[in-house]
Amino acid sequence: MCRLSLSTLYACVLIMPDAIKLGLRAFNYNVLFREEETNITMFLKVQLPWNVIISPEELQSESLMLQRAIVIRLMSDFALKKATKDLGYYLAVTTLETIGEGKVRMHTGDVLFPVVFNGITFKIFKGEILEGVVHKVLKHGVFMRCGPIENVYLSNLKMPDYRYVPGENPCFMNEKMSKIGKDVVVRFTVIGTKWMEADREFQALVSLEGDYLGPIISADI
């Protein structure tokens, strides 16, 4: 079968069931983001083999309908995979390169199609300078989100000159009244990452020790 372009895959996303759309809600955003910032190393271009299983009910004699069923199943499986230690978080399928010959599974009647596709993954590396949004403030540090990573930890020991300010809305603040609190965007450098196999996710330790790091002030403030 022929190679399917991103526009063809995108058309399939528009007509796929709502449940699958919810699982792939990051698809459009991350493809557009990649087009604008192709030099960012945390976004990896990957080519992967995959086995797509199609039920007898989904099989259609028309080539395009079969391709559509394969694409929808691939995207659904891709979204559920979440992440791997080597490649990071699975974000988007960009092109479907090849679809191999289907093999019938004897006991179920399902057909297994070996495919090869290109995609985008997200993985952070030690030494990178990134940005995250604070979602939890503790006495000894803050947790941030960075892309799909929920647990990016910034210890109070790694934010020089900031002190903890307790209260209804706790935060960290320095003498220049620069504040690190909930929903604040912070630029940081990555000092370590850890893969959690049981949860299939990464954790990261970060620091503000360096030039031009810290809370980012919006231009319209």
Side-chain angles (χ1 to χ4, degrees):
M1 296 183 182
C2 63
R3 181 174 183 263
L4 298 184
S5 66
L6 179 58
S7 59
T8 305
L9 293 173
Y10 182 73
C12 290
V13 173
L14 295 179
I15 58 178
M16 69 173 57
D18 288 341
I20 299 178
K21 286 182 184 177
L22 291 175
L24 295 171
R25 59 188 179 274
F27 178 87
N28 295 343
Y29 170 79
N30 286 300
V31 170
L32 292 174
F33 189 84
R34 171 181 165 267
E35 289 175 351
E36 293 175 0
E37 304 198 30
T38 53
N39 61 333
I40 294 182
T41 56
M42 62 185 175
F43 290 97
L44 306 178
K45 298 178 182 179
V46 298
Q47 186 171 92
L48 297 172
W50 207 275
N51 289 324
V52 177
I53 298 174
I54 303 296
S55 66
E57 295 79 12
E58 296 176 284
L59 292 174
Q60 301 285 340
S61 58
E62 297 87 354
S63 177
L64 286 178
M65 293 302 292
L66 178 57
Q67 288 183 357
R68 173 181 176 272
I70 292 173
V71 168
I72 290 174
R73 176 60 60 185
L74 171 62
M75 288 184 165
S76 176
D77 293 347
F78 186 81
L80 293 175
K81 184 73 173 179
K82 189 176 179 179
T84 66
K85 181 179 180 180
D86 293 332
L87 298 177
Y89 292 85
Y90 291 167
L91 297 184
V93 176
T94 55
T95 54
L96 183 56
E97 292 289 332
T98 61
I99 301 176
E101 183 178 351
K103 298 179 180 179
V104 179
R105 310 181 90 183
M106 296 301 295
H107 298 293
T108 63
D110 295 340
V111 181
L112 185 150
F113 291 92
V115 305
V116 176
F117 67 94
N118 295 319
I120 302 296
T121 65
F122 176 100
K123 185 177 181 180
I124 62 175
F125 296 91
K126 181 178 179 180
E128 283 189 310
I129 295 177
L130 304 173
E131 295 175 3
V133 179
V134 177
H135 66 87
K136 184 183 294 185
V137 179
L138 304 173
K139 184 176 181 180
H140 300 294
V142 300
F143 282 95
M144 295 178 284
R145 295 186 181 93
C146 178
I149 302 179
E150 293 283 329
N151 294 311
V152 176
Y153 182 64
L154 172 61
S155 167
N156 66 324
L157 300 177
K158 293 298 181 179
M159 48 176 111
D161 302 323
Y162 282 85
R163 60 182 179 84
Y164 178 69
V165 180
E168 184 177 349
N169 296 303
C171 66
F172 286 85
M173 189 175 295
N174 65 12
E175 294 180 354
K176 297 180 180 179
M177 304 303 288
S178 176
K179 184 173 72 172
I180 299 176
K182 190 173 181 181
D183 297 327
V184 171
V185 178
V186 179
R187 182 178 291 120
F188 54 79
T189 182
V190 180
I191 58 176
T193 64
K194 183 177 182 180
W195 168 248
M196 311 297 291
E197 182 65 38
D199 299 320
R200 302 197 66 78
E201 65 180 21
F202 285 89
Q203 295 180 349
L205 295 176
V206 302
S207 172
L208 301 187
E209 296 175 327
D211 295 332
Y212 308 111
L213 303 179
I216 297 173
I217 300 175
S218 176
D220 56 2
I221 295 179

